[in-house]
Amino acid sequence: GAGVSQSPSNKVTEKGKDVELRCDPISGHTALYWYRQSLGQGLEFLIYFQGNSAPDKSGLPSDRFSAERTGGSVSTLTIQRTQQEDSAVYLCASSFRLGSQETQYFGPGTRLLVL
Amino acid sequence: AQSVTQPDIHITVSEGASLELRCNYSYGATPYLFWYVQSPGQGLQLLLKYFSGDTLVQGIKGFEAEFKRSQSSFNLRKPSVHWSDAAEYFCAVHGFQKLVFGTGTRLLVSP
């Protein structure tokens, strides 16, 4: 079956512009995660959704970052007023949660470059 | 807090030789552990996972890992490396509602 998909695969933007990154999870997966992968910070957790709600937003680096999930499926990560330090690969993962013994499956990522 | 240490940033192995990538974790309860692989420009692919039971787990592509609670380790092994195994490997522990990753080990395969 189809895996996690993300769009766009690459995004180049200018400092100060807003960007939206999209994630389509595996069908039927109730949990959805966003991570960021950057040279200096490695793989960092950003936010987690169970259904449409986000119980844990602790990883969002600033209030310029927000995310939503609609219909228990597609999620959008929005970065407002982008800065050069936002340049990174943004990875989405989904899982069908079975208690805490869940397995997260990752998408190919969106490579964001802020000029 | 949970943490994962991968002490080797780079490892070079000759094609056909055996491989062991080290992973140590810090976690107060029973850990759920994972190895993922990332090829250049790609996302993370799950190699294997440990939840409970047999401490030697088999994964895809001929990889295996052994959970050793006494050493807080979950090392990844492969008996014979292929050139296509060149990639970055990440160990992760399932924390509260998220994965906590190590910094990764880049595997280079020499002919």
Side-chain angles (χ1 to χ4, degrees), chain A residues 21-96:
Chain A
L21 312 180
R22 177 187 169 107
C23 173
D24 281 275
I26 294 171
S27 178
H29 279 192
T30 57
L32 185 148
Y33 300 79
W34 285 98
Y35 294 85
R36 180 169 71 172
Q37 185 177 26
S38 55
L39 282 176
Q41 303 297 322
L43 275 155
E44 322 170 74
F45 167 79
L46 296 180
I47 189 169
Y48 149 76
F49 288 91
Q50 179 61 38
N52 290 335
S53 65
D56 186 359
K57 301 180 181 181
S58 64
L60 293 177
S62 76
D63 58 7
R64 297 185 295 105
F65 287 73
S66 63
E68 65 175 10
R69 189 180 185 195
T70 55
S73 181
V74 172
S75 176
T76 303
L77 177 69
T78 302
I79 310 174
Q80 295 178 310
R81 304 180 304 281
T82 53
Q83 303 294 312
Q84 288 180 333
E85 61 263 28
D86 299 334
S87 296
V89 177
Y90 290 83
L91 293 165
C92 177
S94 70
S95 74
F96 180 74

Side-chain angles (χ1 to χ4, degrees), chain A residues 33 35 37 102-104 111, chain B residues 36 38 41 49 94 99:
Chain A
Y33 300 79
Y35 294 85
Q37 185 177 26
E102 64 156 353
T103 300
Q104 295 183 23
R111 285 148 191 82
Chain B
Y36 287 87
Q38 186 178 38
K49 60 189 177 185
H94 192 286
L99 290 175

Side-chain angles (χ1 to χ4, degrees), chain A residues 33 35 37 42-45 48 55-56 58 89 91 97 100-109 111, chain B residues 32 34 36 38 40-46 49 51-52 88 90 94 96-103:
Chain A
Y33 300 79
Y35 294 85
Q37 185 177 26
L43 275 155
E44 322 170 74
F45 167 79
Y48 149 76
D56 186 359
S58 64
V89 177
L91 293 165
R97 286 184 69 84
S100 55
Q101 291 189 2
E102 64 156 353
T103 300
Q104 295 183 23
Y105 296 92
F106 284 80
R111 285 148 191 82
Chain B
Y32 301 129
F34 304 82
Y36 287 87
Q38 186 178 38
Q42 304 297 313
L44 298 174
Q45 181 183 19
L46 178 69
K49 60 189 177 185
F51 287 159
S52 64
E88 189 150 22
F90 292 92
H94 192 286
F96 183 64
Q97 295 179 332
K98 63 186 177 187
L99 290 175
V100 175
F101 288 90
T103 50

Side-chain angles (χ1 to χ4, degrees), chain B residues 12-110:
Chain B
T12 300
V13 175
S14 299
E15 190 168 15
S18 63
L19 169 71
E20 182 168 23
L21 302 182
R22 295 183 291 164
C23 171
N24 292 94
Y25 66 89
S26 173
Y27 190 68
T30 301
Y32 301 129
L33 297 160
F34 304 82
W35 276 98
Y36 287 87
V37 61
Q38 186 178 38
S39 298
Q42 304 297 313
L44 298 174
Q45 181 183 19
L46 178 69
L47 283 177
L48 48 77
K49 60 189 177 185
Y50 172 77
F51 287 159
S52 64
D54 192 346
T55 56
L56 184 63
V57 294
Q58 302 297 319
I60 62 171
K61 305 184 179 185
F63 285 92
E64 66 178 26
E66 187 170 12
F67 169 62
K68 293 185 178 180
R69 185 185 297 276
S70 61
Q71 298 178 19
S72 298
S73 69
F74 189 56
N75 293 350
L76 182 71
R77 302 194 294 247
K78 186 170 185 178
S80 178
V81 168
H82 188 263
W83 64 266
S84 60
D85 293 325
E88 189 150 22
Y89 292 79
F90 292 92
C91 182
V93 63
H94 192 286
F96 183 64
Q97 295 179 332
K98 63 186 177 187
L99 290 175
V100 175
F101 288 90
T103 50
T105 297
R106 183 166 297 279
L107 174 65
L108 305 173
V109 180
S110 60

